[in-house]
């Protein structure tokens, strides 16, 4: 029997997304004409093929795909929140991930589109009689869709949008997103006000390839797969949370899981499997992994600190005394806070 899961975490590209059933009646969108998925990989091939999703992550990714809902991913730094988006795009062949990094100054409009009226005014002046530019006024030259605006174009397959660190946003942004997530559409005000509200505009993918916007409105066809990451620096309103599928990523519970992560990311660098019958990591690497695990009880550490320490120690001092290796590893792995690292068995 074929599994109900579209995304399996196998890291092998396939067309399983085409098996998705029709969306729930309240999540059906009818934008058009349909657009094909852009060619190319996810945009971060290393993250896509080295990420090891847990069972909870796989299950919740599939729930978000079936329900056409955003996925809110929480967890400590270094748990792979952003990598999950690239892993899904890679396995399901959904093209390049659209990345929208969030700061306290970001607004909903920044994610939808940008309009440059000053440059357009300058171009219009040049195009007047006696000016130096003969080209006519084309509003599409001054409109570019942002990551969210591009993701909501009427693609036949869902685009992957990574909304990175949404907990750093202004307090109003999560609520502002609710209407967009529910409607699956938005209006380009500057275009809708024109007598001819149709134009070919630039997208977040390219400034050369254009898409046609009709009647000043963009409506999605396949609701995008949206990954919103949060480091837990704020709480979100209930109205926002109930419209999301949520998953909390924790640190690996033991040395074996940490070793597997190191092998995925750095096996080729440190020589795992070279001259061996298995893929056992070298002794120096295993010492650093053990050191990382032992130090987690003293404060918050992130997995990427472990990878940095192993890479440095491999090139600098694995040939030196064990205590020298540990000293260098500790310097590359400072505590991020005094709070102990969370794990699955915490």
């Amino acid at each position: 029997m074929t599994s109900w899961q579209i995304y399996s975490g196998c890291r092998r590209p396939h067309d399983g997304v085409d098996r998705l059933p029709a969306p729930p009646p309240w999540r059906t969108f009818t934008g058009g004409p349909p657009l094909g998925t852009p060619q190319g990989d996810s945009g971060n091939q290393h993250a896509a093929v080295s990420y090891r999703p847990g069972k909870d992550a796989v299950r919740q990714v599939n729930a978000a795909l079936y329900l056409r809902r955003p996925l809110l991913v929480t967890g400590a730094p270094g748990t792979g929140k952003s990598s999950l988006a690239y892993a899904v795009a890679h396995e399901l062949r959904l093209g390049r991930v659209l990345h929208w990094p969030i700061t306290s100054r970001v607004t909903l409009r920044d994610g939808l589109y940008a309009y440059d009226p000053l440059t357009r005014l300058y171009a219009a002046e040049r195009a007047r009689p006696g000016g130096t530019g003969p080209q006519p006024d084309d509003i599409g030259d001054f409109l570019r869709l942002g990551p969210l605006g591009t993701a909501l174009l009427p693609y036949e397959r869902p685009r992957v949008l990574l909304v990175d660190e949404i907990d750093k946003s202004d307090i109003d942004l999560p609520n502002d997103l609710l209407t967009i997530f529910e409607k699956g559409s938005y209006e380009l005000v500057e275009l809708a006000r024109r007598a001819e509200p149709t134009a070919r505009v630039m997208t977040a993918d390219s400034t050369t390839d254009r898409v046609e916007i009709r009647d000043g409105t963009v409506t999605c066809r396949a609701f995008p797969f949206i990954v919103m990451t949060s480091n837990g620096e704020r709480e979100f309103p209930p109205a926002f949370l109930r419209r999301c599928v949520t998953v909390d990523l924790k640190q690996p519970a033991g040395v074996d899981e940490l070793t597997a992560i190191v092998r995925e990311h750095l096996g080729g660098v440190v020589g795992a499997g070279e001259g061996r019958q298995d893929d056992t990591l070298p002794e120096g690497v295993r010492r650093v992994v053990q050191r990382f695990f032992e130090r987690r009880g003293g404060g918050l550490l992130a997995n990427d600190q472990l990878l940095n320490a192993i890479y440095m120690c491999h090139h600098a001092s694995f040939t030196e005394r064990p205590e020298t290796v540990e000293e260098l590893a500790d310097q590359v792995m400072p505590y991020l806070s005094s709070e102990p690292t969370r794990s699955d068995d915490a």
Side-chain angles (χ1 to χ4, degrees), residues 187-202:
E187 183 182 67
L188 290 86
V189 177
E190 293 80 6
L191 189 55
R193 289 173 177 169
R194 288 166 53 92
E196 177 51 56
T198 298
R200 295 184 61 80
V201 305
M202 299 174 282

Side-chain angles (χ1 to χ4, degrees), residues 219-264:
T219 302
C220 71
R221 190 177 188 89
F223 188 76
F225 177 70
I226 302 174
V227 174
M228 298 182 293
T229 71
S230 170
N231 291 322
E233 296 182 5
R234 63 178 286 191
E235 293 185 355
F236 297 102
F240 177 79
L241 291 175
R242 74 180 180 86
R243 290 172 170 84
C244 299
V245 176
T246 61
V247 62
D248 184 46
L249 303 184
K250 296 181 174 62
Q251 292 280 15
V255 171
D256 289 345
E257 292 184 33
L258 287 169
T259 301
I261 290 173
V262 172
R263 187 181 298 116
E264 291 290 344

Side-chain angles (χ1 to χ4, degrees), residues 276-293:
R276 301 176 176 86
Q277 296 301 314
D278 56 24
D279 55 0
T280 302
L281 294 172
E283 173 64 25
V285 175
R286 286 184 279 128
R287 284 202 307 268
V288 176
V289 172
Q290 184 65 40
R291 179 68 174 171
F292 178 86
F293 181 71

Side-chain angles (χ1 to χ4, degrees), residues 158-172:
R159 289 297 302 272
V160 178
L161 171 66
L162 172 59
V163 184
D164 219 357
E165 299 189 329
I166 191 171
D167 51 332
K168 287 183 168 57
S169 71
D170 177 86
I171 192 171
D172 293 326

Side-chain angles (χ1 to χ4, degrees), residues 20-274:
L20 265 179
W26 55 90
R27 298 298 293 162
T28 299
F29 305 99
T30 58
L35 301 174
T37 303
Q39 298 297 313
D41 60 28
S42 66
N44 188 337
Q45 195 68 0
H46 177 77
V49 301
S50 62
Y51 181 70
R52 298 171 58 89
K55 292 181 180 179
D56 285 349
V58 171
R59 182 170 56 246
Q60 297 302 79
V61 164
N62 282 284
L65 287 168
Y66 272 79
L67 297 174
R68 277 68 171 184
R69 290 291 185 185
L71 181 67
L72 178 62
V73 186
T74 58
T79 49
K81 300 184 294 295
S82 299
S83 296
L84 178 59
Y86 294 98
V88 173
H90 171 74
E91 182 178 325
L92 300 185
R93 293 176 175 166
L94 298 180
R96 187 176 71 86
V97 171
L98 295 160
H99 184 207
W100 186 19
I102 302 299
T103 69
S104 60
R105 299 179 298 277
V106 164
T107 66
L108 177 64
R109 171 68 176 264
D110 295 325
L112 291 176
Y113 69 94
Y115 172 60
D116 188 351
L118 292 179
T119 303
R120 184 185 176 201
L121 178 62
Y122 177 70
E125 289 291 335
R126 293 183 61 200
R128 288 179 178 177
T132 59
Q135 66 276 13
D137 176 27
D138 182 359
I139 193 172
D141 290 336
F142 313 100
L143 276 168
R144 186 177 185 185
L145 305 185
L148 175 59
T150 301
L152 290 170
L153 287 169
Y155 292 106
E156 291 185 292
R157 286 182 169 185
R159 289 297 302 272
V160 178
L161 171 66
L162 172 59
V163 184
D164 219 357
E165 299 189 329
I166 191 171
D167 51 332
K168 287 183 168 57
S169 71
D170 177 86
I171 192 171
D172 293 326
L173 181 60
N175 284 326
D176 292 341
L177 286 169
L178 292 182
T179 300
I180 299 296
F181 290 164
E182 290 304 297
K183 293 174 57 179
S185 68
Y186 63 95
E187 183 182 67
L188 290 86
V189 177
E190 293 80 6
L191 189 55
R193 289 173 177 169
R194 288 166 53 92
E196 177 51 56
T198 298
R200 295 184 61 80
V201 305
M202 299 174 282
T203 71
D205 288 316
S206 172
T207 58
T208 55
D209 297 333
R210 304 289 186 95
V211 295
E212 186 174 77
I213 306 300
R214 299 179 179 178
D215 300 322
T217 301
V218 172
T219 302
C220 71
R221 190 177 188 89
F223 188 76
F225 177 70
I226 302 174
V227 174
M228 298 182 293
T229 71
S230 170
N231 291 322
E233 296 182 5
R234 63 178 286 191
E235 293 185 355
F236 297 102
F240 177 79
L241 291 175
R242 74 180 180 86
R243 290 172 170 84
C244 299
V245 176
T246 61
V247 62
D248 184 46
L249 303 184
K250 296 181 174 62
Q251 292 280 15
V255 171
D256 289 345
E257 292 184 33
L258 287 169
T259 301
I261 290 173
V262 172
R263 187 181 298 116
E264 291 290 344
H265 286 270
L266 290 173
V269 174
V270 300
E274 290 183 5

